[in-house]
Each structure stands twice: as C-alpha cells, then as structure tokens.
Amino acid sequence: MTETIDAPTRPTGRNYVGGTWVPASSGETYTKLNPMRPSESVGEFSASTAADAAAAVAAAEAAFDEWAGLPLARRGAYLNAAADVLEARTEEVARDMATEMGKPLREARGEAARAGQILRFAASEAFRAVGEHFEQAVTGAQVSTRRRPVGVVALITPWNFPMAIPIWKLAPALIYGNTVVLKLAYEAPRTGLHIAEAFAEAELPAGVLNVLTGRGSTVGAALVSDPRVRALSFTGSVATGHAVRDEATRLGKRVQLELGGHNPLIVAADADLGRAVEAAYAGAFWSAGQKCTATRRIYVQAEVYDDFKKRLLARIERGRVGDPVDPEVEVGPIVNESQFDEIVAAIERGTSEGGTVLTGGDRVGDEGYVIAPTVFEGVADDAFLSCEEVFGPVTSLYRYATLDEALRRANATPFGLSAGIFTSDLATAIRFQEEAQAGLLHVNSQTAGADVHVPFGGIKNSGFGPHEQGRAALEFYTETVTVYVDP
C-alpha cells in the first residue's frame, strides 16, 4: 500500500484561486454526504458564486502571459512534480473517492493511479515538434506553422470520474501554455481538491490553475458567460452540454463537449462466451453503471442467447455488492438520493413498458443508495430503456439473428460514444469497425475504458468539438499560426 502523506496546507473545503486557499466570497458552504451512509458527512465545501468564478478568471488571465512564455519543458516539470505528489497519495485519494461518490475502492485505486500517468504523458509533449516547416511554392522561401495556447480555459467536470477527467482536461491545457479555471463536480469536491493541492505543492505559479467548488448552475454558468474565457471543455449530460454549447458558441468561444452514451455490446455466436460475460458484467455494473461508456444494451445472437443469459446471471449472483471501501466489492452505491430515485423510476418504467426484470431492480440494504445489478429482457426497441440513458446498474438483453440486424439495432440511437463486439471471426470484426456508429469501438473488450495516449470522444449526440486525450488534445487547446518568412 502506498504511504499516505499528510497535507496540512489545505484548509478543508476551500477554493484554490491565485495560488491561495480561499473561502467562497459569500462565506457559504455546503455539506457533501456519504452515499453509502447518508447520515454521515464527508465534509463542508465552498458554495462558490459568480463572484468567485470572476476572481478565478481574473487570476488566470493575469498569469497567462508569463506561463505561455515558459519553455514547454519547464511547464512539463510542474506536471511531473504534481504527478509525484498524487502518486504518493494514491490510497488517500482512492478512499476519498470511494467515500464521497461511491466508486468501489478497487476501481478508485486504478483511477487515482491513472492521474500520474496522464500528467506524465502530457509533460512528454514538451519534446515533440511545435510546428511544421515548408517551402513557399513560388520563391522557395520559408513558411512554417506554430501552435499557440488559446488563453484562459474553463473546465467543467463531472462527479463519476472525479480525478481522471479533471486531470485529462487540465494536463494538456497546461502543457500547451493555457491557464485554467477548473470547476469541480458538486458531488465530488474532496477528490478534486487533491489536484489543486498537488499543484500547490509542485509550486505551480500563482493563477495558472484555479479550482472552484459549487453548483454548475452558478459557477459553471458564470464561466460560460465570462468574455475572458476563450475556451470551455465540459463533460456531463446531453441537455446541459447542449445548453453550454449554444451559449458559449454564441459568445464566440471554443467548445468541447463529452456527453452521454447508450452503448451497445454485440455478442456473436462464435464469441468466447466466458470473456463476453465478464466484459458485459464489468461494462454494465462496475461503478454501479455510473459511466458514460457503460454497457446499456447487450445484443446476443440467437444460437447462444440462452447460454449467455445463464452465464451472465450466474456472474451477477457471484458479484459483491455493497460498501465501496471494501476492496472486494464490485458494485457500490449511487452517488446521491436524487440519482437513486431516478434509477428506481427508470426501472419501474421499464417494467410498465413490458420489460421483464431477470435479476435485481431492488434496493440493497436499508441506508445506502445501493441498487442491485439489474438485467431486463423483452424490452422493445422503441421503449424508454432502449432509447434513453439510465445512469446506473441497469442493462437490457436482446436476441438477434444476423449481423445486419445487430448493427442496425445497435446504431439506432442518437448517441454514439462507445460500442463493442465479441467475435472470433475477422470479417465480422472488420465490418463492425467500419459500420458501428460510435467514437470508441471495442473488439473483444468491454465498452468502458480508455488509454491516455489515444483520442477519447463520441460522435452524434455524444460529443461536440475535438476529442480529448492523446495528441487529439492539441486541436482544442492550441491555435495554429502560419508564418511566412521572406529574405
């Protein structure tokens, strides 16, 4: 187990603005509850306002010129130093994550460890080309391109990946020379404040990274409307994302959205059913299904449908459900009561529209917001569960006859984030890669999961703007300048 390092420099629940830990200007705070034990408080956090957002943007704007003027390698050194801090606190971060938003410790540890990997990858960008060199067509004189930072960037992040998503947004933003205002998720502030703490201990220049807690309806909206913010990256719901896009683009800002999904998994008759079942279980139920890449629909070829169903139900029966700080638990609680109620209502609607619950559908325990892994069968293709994302441990089984049918039904939603197939046939796998309508395609692996060095993002209603992660981040966080030089 990694040694936990104490961090006495961060007053509990405060914002980090201009290199200083400060309370909300109003002095107001809010209480975050433990979703496994809602009678317990995780902590008090700043209920930031539009005034706090304005102060953070001002700090970022003041720091921009000096930060953008640093060599890439010097900027990268700060990212590596912050990675050192976070890697030393992996266990502490993971436990905070499990306690405040319910991610099982086994997954939370992986996400916490991933933060350092993302930061170090971004820091390595310091040693890549900063542009291209050409000849002018008429004279042969020099013409070249350079990438420049955009300016002040606002990042609005969700609670379901409270460490990974803020890090994979801010790491490229910083290495390419932008300054940042990060608005943490209302439901996961404690985990995100570890990020601010790490950069503070790395002695990042004041104002380069500013971190706020509070409601998106106040802080997020203020960042969207602030004319000093040049670009905005948002991860969250489709409805909110589209509202952010419409307002930000109206104001001439650069916008990047990562939104919801309704991700299908196709299981062909020639698939390795054991592997397919494990992938379906992990994709649908890990993190209690609270992932935009979670498996929502499972299409199984008729010849193996009954066998797959039997194996999946047996796997669910063997799974551990309950307290997320138990390292053996695979499925923990829903993040809060309102989300819990929405999922329960969706399950009830699924049955009222003709679906049959094969397993689950019930609350587990008396206090925590825990819902048993739930599998539906007999859901119509135009029913609610087949068309709308339910952000919880709920998936549906469908029987199909041909690959044509499976692809048609898998593609028949407005979402296009992730899709997967299990097959041992090369031709089937190739056709899936050519025709599946999603930004992330998985052959013989679960629909959830992403590497730090390759693009991440959806198509259709699941995304807008350049994709995140890998070198794709360069497109969003920089502007291209073409330079002609004549003797």
Side-chain angles (χ1 to χ4, degrees), residues 1 14 25 144 150 156 295 303 342 377 391 420 464 469:
M1 182 180 295
R14 293 195 175 188
S25 57
S144 61
V150 174
I156 301 175
T295 304
E303 297 93 310
E342 284 186 18
E377 185 180 52
F391 213 63
F464 179 85
Q469 299 207 97

Side-chain angles (χ1 to χ4, degrees), residues 131-424:
E132 296 179 294
H133 182 82
F134 306 87
E135 281 189 352
Q136 294 185 41
V138 175
T139 67
Q142 175 182 316
V143 58
S144 61
T145 63
R146 289 189 64 87
R147 292 280 188 168
R148 291 181 179 172
V150 174
V152 176
V153 175
L155 311 176
I156 301 175
T157 59
W159 51 262
N160 60 329
F161 284 90
M163 176 61 64
I165 292 180
I167 288 287
W168 86 40
K169 290 180 186 292
L170 69 85
L174 292 178
I175 193 63
Y176 296 135
N178 303 281
T179 52
V180 170
V181 179
L182 168 62
K183 209 295 283 186
L184 298 173
Y186 187 84
E187 295 291 345
R190 185 170 177 175
T191 303
L193 287 173
H194 281 288
I195 300 169
E197 183 179 312
F199 278 98
E201 294 194 24
E203 299 183 348
L204 186 74
V208 172
L209 173 64
N210 307 275
V211 181
L212 302 173
T213 61
R215 291 199 177 277
S217 56
T218 52
V219 184
L223 293 174
V224 172
S225 62
D226 194 311
R228 296 167 295 179
V229 173
R230 293 287 311 283
L232 192 141
S233 180
F234 170 90
T235 298
S237 70
V238 172
T240 302
H242 285 176
V244 166
R245 177 198 62 195
D246 293 347
E247 177 63 9
T249 54
R250 185 185 69 81
L251 297 171
K253 301 180 190 295
R254 182 174 292 203
V255 181
Q256 177 186 63
L257 304 179
E258 296 297 344
L259 307 174
H262 204 298
N263 313 299
L265 178 66
I266 298 170
V267 181
D270 57 18
D272 181 331
L273 291 189
R275 289 178 60 196
V277 164
E278 286 297 327
Y281 178 82
F285 304 125
W286 282 7
S287 290
Q290 296 174 117
K291 299 178 181 179
C292 55
T293 53
T295 304
R296 307 296 180 196
R297 295 169 290 144
I298 306 173
Y299 296 94
V300 185
Q301 201 155 16
E303 297 93 310
V304 295
Y305 181 91
D306 291 335
D307 189 9
F308 179 90
K309 178 173 74 172
K310 179 181 177 180
R311 292 185 189 212
L312 179 60
L313 296 178
R315 177 63 182 88
I316 293 170
E317 183 68 24
R318 296 194 305 271
R320 290 285 296 274
V321 179
D323 193 335
V325 299
D326 180 343
E328 300 301 316
V329 162
E330 298 169 309
V331 182
I334 306 304
V335 68
N336 60 29
E337 187 175 19
S338 63
Q339 290 284 125
F340 176 88
D341 290 343
E342 284 186 18
I343 297 165
V344 170
I347 292 171
E348 292 174 350
R349 181 171 176 179
T351 56
S352 71
E353 292 183 353
T356 299
V357 175
L358 296 177
T359 188
D362 300 318
R363 186 174 197 155
V364 177
D366 298 325
E367 184 181 11
Y369 302 131
V370 182
I371 297 175
T374 303
V375 179
F376 272 85
E377 185 180 52
V379 177
D381 284 353
D382 60 353
F384 174 78
L385 291 179
S386 297
C387 301
E388 298 295 331
E389 182 180 38
V390 177
F391 213 63
V394 181
T395 193
S396 300
L397 285 176
Y398 306 83
R399 191 189 306 261
Y400 78 90
T402 66
L403 182 59
D404 284 345
E405 177 194 347
L407 287 168
R408 175 180 56 78
R409 296 170 73 187
N411 290 336
T413 76
F415 299 99
L417 181 54
S418 183
I421 191 168
F422 270 79
T423 180
S424 61

